[in-house]
Amino acid sequence: MAHNVRAPDASTTPALDAHPVSGAAEFADAIPSADDRLQEAARRALLERPSVSIRARIALAFLLLLALSGGSVLASWFLLSQAQRKLDLLVVVDRLTIEVQQARRFEKNYLLYGTNLADALEHARQASELLAAHLAGGERDPALSERTLATLARDLGQYEDLLTSLARGAHDPTVSTAAQDRDELVARVRDRGARTTSDVLQMAADERRSVQDTLNVAKRIPLVLLAVTLVLAVYVANFLGRQIVGPLTRFVDVTQRIASGDFTPLMPARRYRDEFSNLSLAINRMLQELEHRYQVMVESHKLRAVGTLTAGIAHELNNPLNNITLTASTLRQFHSKLDEPQRLEMLDELVAEADRSQKIVRNLLDFTRQTETAIEPLNLRSLIQDVVGLAQNQVKLHGCTLELHVPPDLPAIHGDRNLLRQVFLNLLLNALDAIDKGGRIQVTADAGREPGFVVTDVADNGTGIPPHMIGAIFDPFFTTKATGKGTGLGLSMSRGIVRQHGGDIRVRSRPGAGSTFSVLLPSTQVEAQIPAGARVP
């Protein structure tokens, strides 16, 4: 039954709206203090957490990337500096090698041909001076130990001294040396020269290897940096995604929840507070204001429904009141002429009519009474009969037919009697709005159509619902009635009540052929899980 919608451009189609579920409004009005406490608890929970802003986290992530980049630059600079020092030392070692090799070449010329001894001595001195200058400059390669350098300096010094001794004996005739001593000196020169050459060549080889190792490390650093940066970038992107996209997704869900009429305040989802916490506080303030306005709208809708019911109930109250008036007048006028049994009969009629009036008023009070939620086993047949009795006067005034087909052996359901009465009364009143005078409403119940559920259909042969409006009839505040004649809350609140009882409301409709609203309630022995103080959207 599209009882809160109307097909456009159909002047004969009555305006439709979701009639009030006044108990839902009472349910919300009964717990304003609980809502206030929940709002205050949410506000404190959002504000009392340590503050870690998104801006600070983003800045920290980029500082980490900057530190990694700076560290890699420093490491590269250090390695290149080391390589430069090694290359400079390698130049010195190469020059040293050349000088030593030249000294050895001239040494051999002297021993073979008796020439170039002075050249050998000169190259040996230049090698010593070159090494001494290097040592004095402090440019040391950690790959070369002090022992290696000291050994090389000692060997060069001894080699130079031996060449000097050899040159002194060759140019000073006063210095006479025995042939055996000279042969021993030559042997020592050759041995020391060979050892010095070996040391220099070994040092050059070590230095080249050290330079190559440094360059290899320098080549690997960019690759390592690229891999680390890639991993860190993926982590930062994932981190920022979780920190920003995650809350945004949550707020999208919140907007959908608000659109469905659930104004429960947002509670903290993290252990710290950030800009999204401020957004949550703003949304909670908005929800609190919406909740207040919602309750005002529900109350006005409830009063409208009470007025609609009162019109029919007032009509029915006229009958017993007229009977009471006539009987009381007759009794007063003919009291002395009536015998005792006649007087008692008339008094019994007065009592019966008064009880009938009291029952009518009590039904209305039961509907409008503000009560706490009470989950109990319910007989669905009895509950529907109560609702039909409450709406019977409206049915008579409307001049339509209401057929009730509810078997007595339906499984028991659990729920709040008043809330469920309001759901079915809302559907009946909506059905009345959807049909013309002389129309028909059928209320049927079945326990075998949906396993685990009792299905109650409220069907009419009214105007039906246009297909493009089917998806909107349960939206809060959706109505096609004129301004001031409906709030569009009835069907939304009814669906909220049924869903909190573990069921659902479905609709089938075809324009011109009527509509059927099906209420599914679980047929279990377990009470419906409606928390105390919960509000119905």
Side-chain angles (χ1 to χ4, degrees), residues 89-104:
L89 180 59
L90 185 59
V91 171
V92 174
V93 172
D94 286 341
R95 289 178 57 192
L96 187 62
T97 303
I98 293 172
E99 295 295 335
V100 171
Q101 288 177 338
Q102 286 288 82
R104 290 300 315 279

Side-chain angles (χ1 to χ4, degrees), residues 37-87:
R37 288 194 297 270
L38 186 59
Q39 284 281 356
E40 180 61 22
R43 188 186 70 83
R44 286 199 306 269
L46 287 168
L47 290 176
E48 290 175 354
R49 297 169 300 157
S51 178
V52 182
S53 68
I54 297 177
R55 182 180 301 175
R57 279 174 278 166
I58 293 176
L60 182 61
F62 280 101
L63 283 176
L64 183 60
L65 286 173
L66 182 61
L68 178 63
S69 300
S72 65
V73 170
L74 290 176
S76 299
W77 178 84
F78 175 77
L79 288 173
L80 291 175
S81 298
Q82 288 292 101
Q84 181 64 45
R85 292 174 58 187
K86 291 177 183 294
L87 288 173

Side-chain angles (χ1 to χ4, degrees), residues 478-495:
F478 179 83
T479 180
T480 59
K481 286 191 175 183
T483 303
K485 293 188 176 181
T487 61
L489 295 175
L491 286 177
S492 173
M493 295 167 61
S494 297
R495 184 179 64 171

Side-chain angles (χ1 to χ4, degrees), residues 27 371-376 378 415-419 501 527:
F27 194 68
T371 60
E372 295 292 336
T373 304
I375 305 302
E376 57 182 333
L378 298 176
D416 183 274
R417 180 182 300 275
N418 286 333
L419 292 180
H501 280 77
E527 297 183 1

Side-chain angles (χ1 to χ4, degrees), residues 20 300-314 364 367-368 394:
S300 65
H301 198 81
K302 168 186 170 183
L303 293 176
R304 177 181 173 275
V306 172
T308 302
L309 291 175
T310 303
I313 290 175
L364 180 61
F367 174 72
T368 59
Q394 293 300 114

